[in-house]
Amino acid sequence: MIVIILGVYLAVNLYEKKQDIETTYNQIFTSKAEEVKDYMRRTFIALQYLDEQISTIICANKDVDVDKKIEAKVNDLIQYMFYYHDDFEEIFVKCKHANFCYREKNLVQLTTEEEIAWEQFLWNNVDYQTFVNSTTPTVSSITTGLEGKKAIFITKPLRTEDGQYCGYILSVINMKKIEEILNKTSKDFPGYFALLDHKKRVIYFPQPVSASTLSESLVPLFKETERVTEGTFKYYSSIYKREQILNFKTLEDLDWIIWSAAPYFIVYLSFYRNLILSVFMLLIAIITILWTKRILLKRMVQPLKELNNVSKELATGRFSYRLEMANNDIPQEIKELGNRFKDMALDLKQAYLLLKRQGGVLEKQAQEYSQELLMKNKEMVALYAVASSVSNKNTLFDILNQVFKIIMKVLEIDLVTIYIPQRGEVGKESIYTVWHGNYLQKEKTCFTECAGDFAKIAVKEKKMIMIDDLQKKNDEQIPFALKWSNFKTLVSMPIYYKNMVLGALTLISSNSRHFGEKDLAILQTICTQLGVIISNFHLINIINEKHQTLMATINSMCEGLVFLDRKGKIIYANPLFFKMFYLNNIDQQKELYIDNLLKEINPEIDLVLPYKEMKKHFIKKQPFHSGQISLTYQERTRYFLIQGFPVHTNKSFLGYGYIIHDITREKEVDNLKSSLLSTVSHELRSPLTTIYGSAESLLRKDVVWSREEEIEFMEAIVEESKRLRDLIDNIMDMSKIEAGVFKLDRHAVDITKLIERVVKRHRFMYPENEFVVDILGNIPFVFIDERRIEQVLNNLLENAIKYSPMDKTIKIKVEYLKEENVLKVGVIDHGIGIACQDQAAIFGRFYRVENAKTARVKGSGVGLSIAKGIIKNHGGEIWVESELGHGSKFYFTLPINNVEGEIK
Amino acid sequence: MKKPVALVVDDESNILRFVRANLRASGFEVASATTGTEALAKFESEEPNIIILDIMLPELDGFSVCRRIRQVSDVPIIMITAKGDMQDAVEGLNAGADDYVTKPFAVEELLARVNAVLRRSQHDFCQPSSDQIKLGNLYIDMAQRRVYINGEAVHLTPTEFKLLIYLANQADKVVPHDEILEAIWGSEYRECTHYLRVSIGRLRQKIEVDPGNPEYIVTCSGVGYMIRNLNVS
């Protein structure tokens, strides 16, 4: 510790010394730099003064050309100047007409050559243009003067009153003065000073070396000065051949660099001296400490070892061991320690003897304590059993079974019965027993019942029942079966949960033992736990039931339902949802996001859904009232209405649900309706247009129609009126059929005659068609509305004619089917035929097959619908057998038995 | 003077008959067709001055016929719509028809419309204030009857061209619906704003960069339309 403090102290001391040296060195340098600066400032002031004075003189006498007065005045001034100020070696004044040159106080008369030399000297060193415009003195760089000496001069332009350039003052600085300042070093300072001008030319350097050698050795300095204006660094001087410490500073205004350099070692000599001294002192301190330690060890370790041995002996119970302190070198403190140790050993011995006597009592207490621990342990085991069974069993009875087994083991019980009355539902109680040992089934039933009865009483009275001796014959409470069994004790304890009795537990043991307070405490604990479990199971059952009902409802819905969580993950989707999008094969156990699900949809399915809208409402957590989805797969388009709704609990947003309703049927009906409307409207408007247009044309007064034209118009009116009438008739018929008020005027009719009549008329109307009538065998009379059947035949024949543009042969076939007792009539053509998918629909209202071939044919599409209504009303059937491009065969049947029945 | 040729297309022979007779009586040379394809063939061969076209036609419906003709010609077309709802009328105008009549129609009405349409297509009603109009990237050459967008020629029907010029002559001024309708279609059309809406829509399709977000022709809701002079802005 002392060594460290000493070390730190010495280090701080050394550091301070170093700082001290550097500060001193810096101070010397700074003061020298100031001195140079002062000197230069002084020369500046002197020049400024000269300038002002000479300018005043010249300006005051501007009228005079060359005047002795000026000369005298200037002369006086300069003399005065030199008298007080010896920093200038020479002063040269050039103004308008006169030049003055002073060398060390004396006015020198210059020859013309000398004057020219002065001029040249100035312009060699100073740029004329800059100089003429300058207002401050200009300092030249070091140069060679007129007399071959080194020189620096300060110069300033002279100006007239109105600022015109009219000459200059040029003063050569006394170099000796500068050298004097720099050469003068204090005794403390082991180095030298040097000075460079703004062009880095040497003004002063103590050693006479060549400029190139010097600038080579000063490269580090130049580098530094480019970076900073002042600083200190260490470098190797090639001139002095030594490590030097160098301080430098760039003088403001002048841009000169002053630097000092001193041998590094000498500067820091006193520092090194201190360093060596400190290290030496530190060494001495360390040696002293080590020596003292060694002596102490020698004198103290031995007795301490002895003490250690004794204590070991004591620990093993041997109190006879004595400590011998023979060595006289041992210090007094150690000796005292030894004596105290001896006393302690004696005390210990006495205490040990005392303890031995008390031992018996202690042992008894320890046994009691361990007994208690055992009980606690049992409790713990039972509780653990309860807890662990809950975690890995599924049904309540699985858990009870597990728990009871442990209870039986822990409390030495033969039978455990639990009774749980079903709350609110009479008779739906449950009794459950777990056995230890083998019993007959009969016995089991009997004992379970007995145990259950006790439990019921415990539940009813809300208190525990305990019977210590089941064989006590005179106790009426004990059932007969138990009295004669080998069971000895019984306890029945109610199970509470939140002050409510959920059931009771009955324990029966064949050991004649008393259920002690501790056993009951364990039992109490178990019952409390069971209470929690039973109540939880009740709750789970209720929840499960509700959940199942809900799921069954959702799964049976006729709408697709999907529910997403906040991130768009599908939490639940009903089977119909998957079916709607043909996603039956998807793994529904997998984590599914709605976005990903859409990608899973069969690429052949053309799905259009309002995805943007859905997304927008989902993000905003707003209900999405109606969007339409269309899904085209295998040429069948289905339409769905999708509605979205956010799902909230009281507090938070759970997710978003969508209900998808299949509206394909509605859509189809809607389309049918609108096409129906447009067809009817077209069918009605077309004839009306002709009637209206033709009639109006006839009424035109501005046109004179020819007779033929008039007839044409009138014919058109008649024709279209008929068409309109037929159409209206048809619509009326159809409405009657649909409303079920279609009346038949039935008579016994020979259908062959009817057919021949109809065909005859068609032969006349359509001479280009060939009609073949084929009557097979004897055809009985049939009880029909002749006019209506004729209408059917007309319709079928007209269709056959209309849709047979090429082969115009039409066959009418009649036969009697004995087995079914019906007449079968067929109208067979070789026309364009009807495609499979249209065959069922043609009997519907206003249905017309739309293709290029049918487009030329006019029709309202009600004919077959009416035909079907008529035949159905007769109790027959109508159908078509056809193939596209291969003609159609229309058949209808008419039952015969009606005829006979009616005739009789 | 050569008689103007009218082509009447309808699949109902009786309608065809009286329309033909009336047109002939009004001084037209009349050609007729009963199917869509026949109509296109007759259009090629007869070079009609006006076409009266039913929508419900076998083979190729009236809308398709109209669209095909519009690809190559500005001949005036009047549609005959049977379904009687506005949807058909608007679709017809969208397909490029100039006007329509609804079944059943009065002969007088049809003839009046034929004359109105012909009048519109024949004489230039509004004399431009100058020979050319320049609105931003839109350049209208009156003499050549041409419109250029970014130097590219755009084909406009006569109605569209007139509509554009009418608005362009009053650039940066809101022109009310009825005023435009009266000027372009005639005073009997003052209330028929759907004609205007359809034509503006078609014009935007042709001249606007993004017809859904028009720059030139701006809607002034409930009042009218305005063409903006993008030179200024």
Side-chain angles (χ1 to χ4, degrees):
Chain A
M1 191 66 189
I2 296 162
V3 178
I4 293 167
I5 293 168
L6 191 69
V8 170
Y9 172 74
L10 288 174
V12 170
N13 222 14
L14 274 174
Y15 179 73
E16 275 176 0
K17 181 78 193 168
K18 194 171 177 238
Q19 290 285 324
D20 219 24
I21 291 167
E22 276 167 13
T23 318
T24 321
Y25 184 65
N26 272 340
Q27 273 171 359
I28 293 166
F29 172 71
T30 317
S31 70
K32 191 61 77 182
E34 283 304 317
E35 239 176 283
V36 174
K37 242 159 102 181
D38 277 348
Y39 174 74
M40 286 311 288
R41 206 174 293 135
R42 225 158 55 221
T43 58
F44 268 70
I45 292 164
L47 190 76
Q48 290 274 19
Y49 176 74
L50 264 182
D51 172 46
E52 274 168 32
Q53 293 302 318
I54 293 171
S55 297
T56 321
I57 293 163
I58 293 167
C59 294
N61 301 283
K62 55 187 167 188
D63 303 334
V64 192
D65 279 353
V66 184
D67 202 345
K68 283 284 170 195
K69 234 162 101 190
I70 295 176
E71 207 179 306
K73 273 190 180 172
V74 174
N75 199 14
D76 283 351
L77 181 72
I78 293 172
Q79 287 296 342
Y80 173 76
M81 174 87 214
F82 273 120
Y83 184 77
Y84 288 103
H85 188 79
D86 57 351
D87 295 331
F88 294 134
E89 213 166 315
E90 277 177 78
I91 295 175
F92 180 77
V93 180
K94 180 179 163 64
C95 59
K96 258 184 193 169
H97 303 289
N99 301 333
F100 309 95
C101 178
Y102 295 87
R103 189 167 295 139
E104 286 163 1
K105 301 178 191 173
N106 301 316
L107 180 65
V108 184
Q109 282 302 321
L110 294 176
T111 61
T112 323
E113 287 86 34
E114 276 173 324
E115 266 181 33
I116 292 167
W118 267 113
E119 287 269 304
Q120 269 176 354
F121 174 65
L122 176 65
W123 303 130
N124 278 345
N125 289 293
V126 177
D127 175 50
Y128 175 78
Q129 204 58 44
T130 327
F131 175 69
V132 165
N133 293 327
S134 69
T135 50
T136 49
T138 309
V139 183
S140 76
S141 62
I142 184 115
T143 177
T144 313
L146 286 179
E147 283 151 32
K149 285 199 293 185
K150 269 182 161 187
I152 296 173
F153 59 84
I154 307 179
T155 176
K156 194 170 187 298
L158 284 172
R159 288 178 200 286
T160 58
E161 204 173 25
D162 51 354
Q164 285 292 314
Y165 169 75
C166 63
Y168 55 84
I169 313 169
L170 187 149
S171 348
V172 177
I173 291 172
N174 199 340
M175 287 301 284
K176 272 182 199 150
K177 279 260 178 181
I178 293 179
E179 278 168 25
E180 229 168 68
I181 292 167
L182 291 169
N183 210 3
K184 192 171 73 195
T185 53
S186 70
K187 276 176 200 164
D188 303 340
F189 190 70
Y192 61 87
F193 293 97
L195 192 64
L196 294 180
D197 72 1
H198 56 278
K199 287 187 177 164
K200 302 224 169 58
R201 289 187 197 145
V202 179
I203 298 172
Y204 172 75
F205 189 75
Q207 287 279 338
V209 288
S210 73
S212 62
T213 323
L214 187 63
S215 50
E216 207 173 288
S217 79
L218 286 177
V219 170
L221 174 67
F222 295 156
K223 271 187 192 162
E224 279 295 305
T225 52
E226 267 161 38
R227 223 162 41 81
V228 286
T229 54
E230 58 187 303
T232 308
F233 63 92
K234 195 174 133 185
Y235 83 112
Y236 178 77
S237 162
S238 53
I239 296 164
Y240 287 93
K241 311 252 182 284
R242 65 187 185 193
E243 284 282 329
Q244 294 199 131
I245 182 110
L246 187 143
N247 272 26
F248 70 91
K249 188 173 184 177
T250 310
L251 300 176
E252 306 136 33
D253 305 333
L254 289 164
D255 227 7
W256 289 1
I257 298 162
I258 179 165
W259 92 89
S260 74
Y264 188 78
F265 181 71
I266 295 169
V267 171
Y268 286 101
L269 189 63
S270 59
F271 169 73
Y272 288 126
R273 230 179 261 151
N274 273 23
L275 184 70
I276 291 162
L277 196 72
S278 303
V279 171
F280 184 68
M281 273 168 74
L282 217 62
L283 268 173
I284 287 173
I286 290 166
I287 289 164
T288 318
I289 286 164
L290 284 174
W291 184 254
T292 323
K293 209 177 169 188
R294 193 167 168 262
I295 290 168
L296 276 173
L297 272 175
K298 209 175 180 185
R299 288 178 67 182
M300 287 178 75
V301 166
Q302 202 55 39
L304 284 175
K305 260 187 188 166
E306 282 285 326
L307 275 172
N308 186 30
N309 283 340
V310 175
S311 65
K312 268 184 195 163
E313 288 292 320
L314 284 174
T316 52
R318 283 173 58 199
F319 296 101
S320 53
Y321 197 88
R322 285 290 170 271
L323 184 66
E324 294 305 327
M325 298 283 177
N327 201 338
N328 286 331
D329 293 346
I330 296 170
Q332 192 58 38
E333 289 86 351
I334 301 287
K335 268 185 190 165
E336 250 173 50
L337 190 67
N339 288 336
R340 278 201 198 140
F341 204 82
K342 270 183 199 168
D343 295 343
M344 192 182 77
L346 279 173
D347 285 348
L348 265 175
K349 195 176 178 181
Q350 277 176 352
Y352 177 70
L353 289 173
L354 204 73
L355 267 174
K356 230 178 182 178
R357 257 177 270 141
Q358 295 281 324
V361 185
L362 273 172
E363 209 164 307
K364 208 175 152 196
Q365 276 178 358
Q367 262 176 2
E368 275 171 21
Y369 190 64
S370 60
Q371 198 73 26
E372 205 174 307
L373 273 177
L374 203 69
M375 290 307 284
K376 280 274 178 228
N377 187 33
K378 278 183 186 178
E379 199 178 316
M380 286 301 291
V381 168
L383 281 178
Y384 175 70
V386 176
S388 63
S389 3
V390 174
S391 58
N392 44 25
K393 299 294 175 214
N394 296 323
T395 71
L396 179 59
F397 290 106
D398 280 342
I399 295 168
L400 292 178
N401 196 12
Q402 180 98 7
V403 175
F404 291 171
K405 275 182 180 159
I406 305 276
I407 294 173
M408 284 194 290
K409 217 168 162 188
V410 171
L411 297 176
E412 291 156 31
I413 303 294
D414 292 77
L415 179 157
V416 181
T417 297
I418 189 162
Y419 162 71
I420 307 167
Q422 195 74 13
R423 271 178 286 171
E425 284 174 63
V426 185
K428 265 203 159 186
E429 58 197 20
S430 50
I431 297 173
Y432 180 71
T433 309
V434 174
W435 304 84
H436 177 69
N438 294 322
Y439 294 89
L440 293 172
Q441 188 56 46
K442 226 165 81 185
E443 285 176 313
K444 281 186 181 177
T445 319
C446 174
F447 294 146
T448 304
E449 205 173 293
C450 294
D453 287 343
F454 276 104
K456 281 175 194 172
I457 295 163
V459 168
K460 204 172 160 192
E461 296 182 356
K462 292 185 179 178
K463 68 177 188 191
M464 188 184 72
I465 302 163
M466 192 160 76
I467 299 166
D468 283 337
D469 185 5
L470 284 171
Q471 264 97 20
K472 208 188 218 173
K473 305 292 187 254
N474 53 0
D475 192 339
E476 282 179 13
Q477 198 188 355
I478 303 162
F480 192 69
L482 285 180
K483 274 185 190 172
W484 294 96
S485 71
N486 53 349
F487 293 131
K488 301 278 170 24
T489 46
L490 175 146
V491 66
S492 194
M493 187 174 270
I495 298 167
Y496 280 99
Y497 178 69
K498 286 186 179 166
N499 295 329
M500 207 158 51
V501 183
L502 295 181
L505 202 62
T506 306
L507 284 78
I508 301 177
S509 170
S510 55
N511 292 351
S512 60
R513 58 181 279 263
H514 179 74
F515 279 101
E517 244 175 60
K518 278 161 192 154
D519 290 327
L520 291 177
I522 293 172
L523 205 56
Q524 190 68 58
T525 318
I526 291 165
C527 281
T528 312
Q529 289 302 313
L530 281 177
V532 175
I533 292 165
I534 291 167
S535 106
N536 282 351
F537 261 91
H538 269 304
L539 225 85
I540 288 167
N541 277 341
I542 291 165
I543 291 168
N544 265 345
E545 218 166 90
K546 283 193 174 169
H547 177 70
Q548 271 160 16
T549 315
L550 192 70
M551 289 312 272
T553 313
I554 290 170
N555 287 343
S556 322
M557 272 166 68
C558 298
E559 279 89 15
L561 182 91
V562 61
F563 179 57
L564 314 175
D565 72 1
R566 267 169 282 189
K567 289 174 182 168
K569 193 175 90 183
I570 295 176
I571 293 172
Y572 179 76
N574 69 357
L576 191 61
F577 171 80
F578 289 107
K579 209 176 143 198
M580 277 173 166
F581 295 98
Y582 300 94
L583 284 166
N584 299 347
N585 298 330
I586 208 155
D587 180 11
Q588 295 176 20
Q589 303 303 316
K590 221 166 60 179
E591 269 203 357
L592 284 172
Y593 283 86
I594 191 78
D595 293 354
N596 294 343
L597 190 74
L598 292 175
K599 286 175 199 153
E600 297 273 338
I601 288 173
N602 188 341
E604 283 173 32
I605 295 175
D606 181 14
L607 180 71
V608 182
L609 84 172
Y611 187 72
K612 267 191 190 166
E613 283 280 294
M614 283 163 70
K615 196 106 190 170
K616 196 176 93 191
H617 286 85
F618 180 89
I619 291 164
K620 287 188 175 172
K621 300 171 189 173
Q622 281 172 352
F624 175 51
H625 287 302
S626 60
Q628 194 172 308
I629 298 176
S630 77
L631 185 152
T632 311
Y633 183 50
Q634 291 175 344
E635 297 189 352
R636 176 155 168 70
T637 305
R638 303 193 66 82
Y639 298 93
F640 302 105
L641 186 76
I642 183 163
Q643 289 173 305
F645 51 90
V647 180
H648 292 283
T649 60
N650 291 339
K651 289 170 192 163
S652 62
F653 172 69
L654 286 183
Y656 205 86
Y658 289 105
I659 285 188
I660 297 150
H661 185 68
D662 190 337
I663 52 163
T664 312
R665 176 87 194 118
E666 283 87 335
K667 198 87 183 165
E668 279 171 359
V669 168
D670 204 44
N671 284 345
L672 200 69
K673 237 194 228 162
S674 68
S675 85
L676 212 119
L677 258 171
S678 71
T679 313
V680 172
S681 135
H682 180 253
E683 287 303 311
L684 286 169
R685 274 166 196 271
S686 287
L688 203 59
T689 308
T690 307
I691 296 166
Y692 186 26
S694 302
E696 218 195 5
S697 305
L698 283 173
L699 291 173
R700 273 182 79 172
K701 295 206 173 78
D702 56 336
V703 183
V704 180
W705 302 108
S706 68
R707 185 66 197 146
E708 289 79 28
E709 279 171 329
E710 276 178 5
I711 289 171
E712 235 174 38
F713 285 140
M714 283 187 273
E715 271 174 0
I717 292 170
V718 172
E719 198 180 302
E720 294 295 326
S721 300
K722 272 185 192 165
R723 193 171 142 199
L724 210 53
R725 185 200 60 197
D726 287 347
L727 189 72
I728 291 163
D729 278 351
N730 276 339
I731 291 171
M732 288 301 285
D733 283 349
M734 211 172 62
S735 315
K736 278 184 196 163
I737 291 166
E738 279 196 351
V741 293
F742 193 68
K743 290 269 159 49
L744 292 176
D745 181 15
R746 291 192 184 204
H747 303 279
V749 176
D750 181 356
I751 200 158
T752 52
K753 290 229 171 97
L754 169 65
I755 288 168
E756 269 163 19
R757 194 168 70 236
V758 171
V759 167
K760 195 179 163 192
R761 198 172 67 237
H762 277 86
R763 275 189 185 128
F764 174 73
M765 277 166 67
Y766 304 97
E768 66 268 37
N769 287 79
E770 192 187 333
F771 297 91
V772 179
V773 180
D774 190 1
I775 298 164
L776 299 170
N778 287 324
I779 306 299
F781 271 50
V782 65
F783 195 65
I784 52 171
D785 184 329
E786 201 178 352
R787 199 173 64 83
R788 288 298 181 188
I789 296 299
E790 191 183 331
Q791 194 182 341
V792 173
L793 277 168
N794 279 339
N795 180 261
L796 292 180
L797 279 170
E798 258 153 39
N799 279 349
I801 294 160
K802 273 200 275 187
Y803 296 106
S804 302
M806 306 299 287
D807 189 344
K808 293 180 186 293
T809 311
I810 293 157
K811 191 170 159 189
I812 297 104
K813 199 170 133 189
V814 192
E815 60 183 316
Y816 172 53
L817 303 178
K818 259 191 184 148
E819 279 174 32
E820 290 129 62
N821 199 25
V822 292
L823 271 186
K824 182 180 170 191
V825 183
V827 177
I828 297 143
D829 67 55
H830 301 90
I832 57 173
I834 301 159
C836 238
Q837 68 263 23
D838 292 322
Q839 286 180 10
I842 53 169
F843 293 102
R845 285 188 310 170
F846 297 108
Y847 189 89
R848 290 194 70 213
V849 177
E850 301 259 348
N851 63 38
K853 283 175 179 162
T854 61
R856 284 175 178 276
V857 182
K858 279 179 217 159
S860 56
V862 290
L864 281 174
S865 167
I866 293 166
K868 189 183 177 185
I870 293 168
I871 299 297
K872 282 259 172 193
N873 268 289
H874 278 89
E877 292 291 330
I878 186 164
W879 71 95
V880 65
E881 290 167 12
S882 178
E883 205 180 318
L884 200 62
H886 292 91
S888 311
K889 295 170 181 168
F890 280 89
Y891 294 103
F892 64 87
T893 58
L894 293 167
I896 301 290
N897 55 351
N898 283 350
V899 185
E900 285 167 354
E902 293 292 325
I903 288 171
K904 276 168 195 170
Chain B
M1 194 184 134
K2 197 179 168 262
K3 280 185 180 177
V5 179
L7 174 61
V8 186
V9 187
D10 203 310
D11 63 333
E12 298 272 346
S13 55
N14 283 329
I15 294 178
L16 210 55
R17 201 176 289 160
F18 85 80
V19 171
R20 206 162 46 194
N22 279 294
L23 283 171
R24 224 173 255 147
S26 299
F28 284 91
E29 191 79 48
V30 185
S32 60
T34 53
T35 70
T37 39
E38 198 188 343
L40 289 175
K42 282 278 168 71
F43 165 71
E44 293 286 336
S45 61
E46 305 290 329
E47 295 177 3
N49 300 81
I50 186 161
I51 301 174
I52 294 150
L53 185 62
D54 190 16
I55 290 173
M56 297 274 269
L57 288 176
E59 289 163 21
L60 198 64
D61 70 17
F63 300 132
S64 311
V65 173
C66 184
R67 267 190 284 271
R68 289 211 192 167
I69 291 174
R70 271 288 168 265
Q71 285 171 7
V72 294
S73 167
D74 297 333
V75 62
I77 298 176
I78 295 173
M79 293 287 237
I80 301 173
T81 65
K83 291 181 183 171
D85 56 31
M86 199 54 95
Q87 197 55 45
D88 266 16
V90 170
E91 199 180 336
L93 292 173
N94 264 329
D98 295 84
D99 205 344
Y100 67 90
V101 287
T102 308
K103 282 186 191 175
F105 51 86
V107 174
E108 297 289 344
E109 188 194 350
L110 178 70
L111 292 174
R113 299 223 168 194
V114 166
N115 287 327
V117 167
L118 279 174
R119 186 181 66 230
R120 252 183 274 154
S121 75
Q122 275 160 5
H123 76 98
D124 280 326
F125 67 101
C126 54
Q127 280 309 310
S129 48
S130 64
D131 284 351
Q132 53 202 39
I133 301 174
K134 199 167 182 306
L135 303 165
N137 293 325
L138 182 72
Y139 174 73
I140 307 166
D141 185 343
M142 296 290 186
Q144 300 280 320
R145 233 194 127 270
R146 288 222 170 110
V147 176
Y148 300 88
I149 290 285
N150 291 325
E152 255 178 71
V154 182
H155 180 83
L156 299 183
T157 63
T159 309
E160 286 159 10
F161 186 73
K162 279 176 201 162
L163 181 59
L164 179 66
I165 291 175
Y166 188 74
L167 289 173
N169 276 333
Q170 310 179 59
D172 286 328
K173 187 191 149 200
V174 181
V175 189
H177 293 133
D178 52 351
E179 201 176 293
I180 306 174
L181 280 162
E182 193 174 341
I184 312 283
W185 279 270
S187 56
E188 61 269 43
Y189 291 84
R190 277 182 78 100
E191 305 298 321
C192 308
T193 45
H194 60 281
Y195 282 85
L196 180 58
R197 207 164 51 237
V198 169
S199 285
I200 290 281
R202 287 169 60 81
L203 197 52
R204 278 177 179 157
Q205 289 287 345
K206 290 179 181 178
I207 67 165
E208 297 281 2
V209 179
D210 175 10
N213 195 8
E215 281 187 325
Y216 289 105
I217 304 173
V218 192
T219 306
C220 302
S221 221
V223 183
Y225 294 95
M226 178 180 83
I227 200 156
R228 281 201 299 186
N229 186 355
L230 296 177
N231 282 337
V232 182
S233 59

